[in-house]
Amino acid sequence: MDIKEIFVAQPSMPPFEEYVETVKPLWHSRWLTNMGILHQELEEQLGEYLDVPELSLMVNGHMALELVIQAMDFPRGSEVITTPFTFISTTHAIIRNGLIPVFCDVKPEDGTIDEEKIEGLVTEKTAAILPVHVYGNVCSIEAIENIAHRHGLKVIYDAAHAFGVTYKGKGIGNFGDASVFSFHATKVFNTVEGGAVTFQDPALHSRLYNLKNFGIRGEELVEEVGTNAKMNEFCAAMGLCNLRHVGQAIARRRELCREYERLLEGVSGIRLLWGSSAVKRNYGYFPVIVQGEYPLSRNELYKLLGKYGIHARKYFYPLTSDHACFAGRYQGASLECARYLAERVLALPVHEGLEVEDVGRVVAVIRSGVCPLTLE
Ligand code: T4K
């Protein structure tokens, strides 16, 4: 059988000619990286789009996270309260900074950190809270900031999934001490690889600049020990082009997600993992929980979809705390709810290139798990 493969994600790409036009001047200038003109333009335009006062572009979302944590100068060995229901990058960024992740459970309704369980994890070594707006579901911002304020902690949001999301009318990058976005190929907005840190304090801009550019401040001046996390001009060009079309891309994703919602209604045991209604979504992911009344387990449904060329993903299983590389070193609090979600979650395909009929095909397979004859 010749079946069309459906992937969980696929990059949005601008018209080829538009990209070529944008990079053409580089053949004349031969200025390809090190904060060139396109980099500067993108930094400015993204600041406006995300409606944030300060933004620093980075080579990818992970380095953005590592460097903003580094820029906070927490004492080595400090603890960071975070969630294990995320991509491995979140946890790696903490550990690679010489800090200790302290895992907090999440909420069953949207998979974000359970703010009621944070305070019980605060010790004299706690330096920060690092929550994740997982799938673009917004964390309990007010409660988290309240706790941080009371205990003198920094808050860094992993907003890798939350490009363009607004909360109570404000760009999501305006909360906490900083937020980190990913512009990876698989995201709502991509620069091939890329990322950014957004923040309020202008002093952080110069610190991040140092950290991403070897600490270089002049031909003969290196101010501090930095790394190389600069975005190049070809990636910035992709960003400038994609930014012009991102509204369309989000509208398309919205249409597809609405179709999923419509078709999945009444399928018992398939629950959507959507968050609060105060949020303007970006429809970056379409996660469902496969539970109780559904006749197949999540793993069985995953395999069944795969048989029909539908590549859903178990975002996020296993919990980051359970990965082999940590060899059980960071176990602690009960993660009952996070574990429940990780064992049952499936991210269904959603991207700009998907047709509404493809959503129908995905749901037909899901429904065939309930009543096998419907797919014949
Ligand atoms: N924090 C969080 C919460 C994150 O989710 C992420 C990244 C980060 C931090 C770090 O940000 P970055 O440093 O990545 O900017 C993917 C992405 O690589 C990763 O960016 C993303 N989160 C994560 C959730 O998903 P994989 O290992 O699942 O990717 P992969 O290669 O299996 O691709 C997924 C699907 O996308 C494939 O089925 C095919 C399709 N695809 C992929 C690529 C790379 C394409 O169609 N074209 C492509 O170029 O991690």
Side-chain angles (χ1 to χ4, degrees):
M1 185 172 43
D2 197 15
I3 47 169
K4 175 183 171 191
E5 302 223 79
I6 299 181
F7 294 98
V8 70
Q10 240 176 17
S12 290
M13 295 177 80
F16 179 66
E17 294 69 25
E18 186 179 337
Y19 183 72
V20 169
E21 274 311 301
T22 311
V23 296
K24 213 181 236 169
L26 302 179
W27 265 257
H28 174 69
S29 70
R30 302 206 173 222
W31 191 272
L32 307 188
T33 185
N34 289 8
M35 277 60 98
I37 282 175
L38 301 180
H39 180 288
Q40 289 166 38
E41 267 178 42
L42 184 62
E43 212 166 62
E44 214 174 288
Q45 290 189 23
L46 279 173
E48 275 169 34
Y49 186 89
L50 296 173
D51 197 17
V52 290
E54 299 286 341
L55 182 144
S56 180
L57 268 183
M58 295 280 170
V59 68
N60 57 48
H62 179 77
M63 286 309 291
L65 205 47
E66 266 199 38
L67 295 189
V68 73
I69 295 173
Q70 188 180 346
M72 301 278 167
D73 292 321
F74 301 128
R76 239 187 140 66
S78 296
E79 295 174 356
V80 178
I81 299 174
T82 187
T83 157
F85 188 60
T86 180
F87 189 57
I88 194 66
S89 163
T90 318
T91 306
H92 280 344
I94 295 169
I95 295 171
R96 285 171 56 81
N97 267 291
L99 307 172
I100 299 167
V102 173
F103 293 107
C104 182
D105 210 353
V106 300
K107 291 179 290 188
E109 62 273 19
D110 65 2
T112 63
I113 198 163
D114 187 341
E115 66 278 8
E116 298 202 344
K117 296 185 180 154
I118 294 176
E119 212 148 15
L121 298 173
V122 175
T123 70
E124 69 285 352
K125 286 171 88 182
T126 310
I129 309 173
L130 203 168
V132 179
H133 299 306
V134 66
Y135 317 120
N137 290 343
V138 173
C139 301
S140 295
I141 286 176
E142 291 86 354
I144 291 170
E145 273 153 38
N146 226 312
I147 296 167
H149 186 70
R150 262 185 280 128
H151 295 274
L153 308 175
K154 297 279 188 198
V155 180
I156 301 166
Y157 285 105
D158 182 336
H161 301 174
F163 184 86
V165 167
T166 65
Y167 176 65
K168 296 189 175 167
K170 256 175 113 173
I172 199 66
N174 285 292
F175 300 98
D177 295 280
S179 298
V180 167
F181 293 85
S182 162
F183 308 146
H184 182 262
T186 52
K187 297 292 192 291
V188 167
F189 164 77
N190 84 79
T191 58
V192 186
E193 290 266 9
V197 185
T198 62
F199 44 94
Q200 309 288 322
D201 176 7
L204 195 51
H205 208 282
S206 132
R207 189 72 207 289
L208 288 169
Y209 184 98
N210 269 358
L211 291 176
K212 73 179 170 188
N213 188 31
F214 307 103
I216 295 174
R217 280 296 169 171
E219 278 185 39
E220 297 179 12
L221 176 63
V222 175
E223 243 173 31
E224 68 174 304
V225 181
T227 184
N228 181 356
K230 293 164 278 147
M231 178 181 284
N232 69 59
E233 291 291 271
F234 287 87
C235 288
M238 191 68 157
L240 285 167
C241 296
N242 278 335
L243 197 56
R244 293 184 203 119
H245 305 283
V246 73
Q248 246 167 279
I250 293 174
R252 175 79 178 149
R253 287 170 172 278
R254 181 169 178 270
E255 186 188 358
L256 297 167
C257 291
R258 288 277 148 87
E259 184 69 355
Y260 269 127
E261 285 176 340
R262 191 178 73 78
L263 297 178
L264 284 171
E265 210 176 321
V267 181
S268 20
I270 299 288
R271 168 167 80 81
L272 311 190
L273 205 55
W274 276 154
S276 144
S277 56
V279 169
K280 188 178 135 230
R281 307 188 165 287
N282 65 9
Y283 304 94
Y285 291 86
F286 194 84
V288 296
I289 300 299
V290 184
Q291 57 188 19
E293 316 85 87
Y294 190 75
L296 305 181
S297 69
R298 184 273 309 272
N299 288 350
E300 288 166 339
L301 177 57
Y302 170 82
K303 276 197 198 135
L304 179 68
L305 287 163
K307 227 174 92 185
Y308 289 94
I310 298 162
H311 305 283
R313 289 294 288 267
K314 299 175 201 174
Y315 292 144
F316 290 100
Y317 173 84
L319 296 181
T320 63
S321 49
D322 290 344
H323 272 289
C325 57
F326 304 138
R329 260 179 302 153
Y330 304 109
Q331 301 293 343
S334 152
L335 301 172
E336 197 183 335
C337 184
R339 205 149 264 134
Y340 179 93
L341 294 182
E343 278 161 13
R344 290 166 182 78
V345 72
L346 208 51
L348 300 181
V350 58
H351 54 81
E352 204 188 352
L354 217 59
E355 303 293 336
V356 173
E357 298 75 56
D358 296 330
V359 170
R361 230 181 89 199
V362 176
V363 177
V365 176
I366 294 174
R367 282 185 176 273
S368 82
V370 182
C371 175
L373 285 179
T374 56
L375 205 69
E376 303 306 319

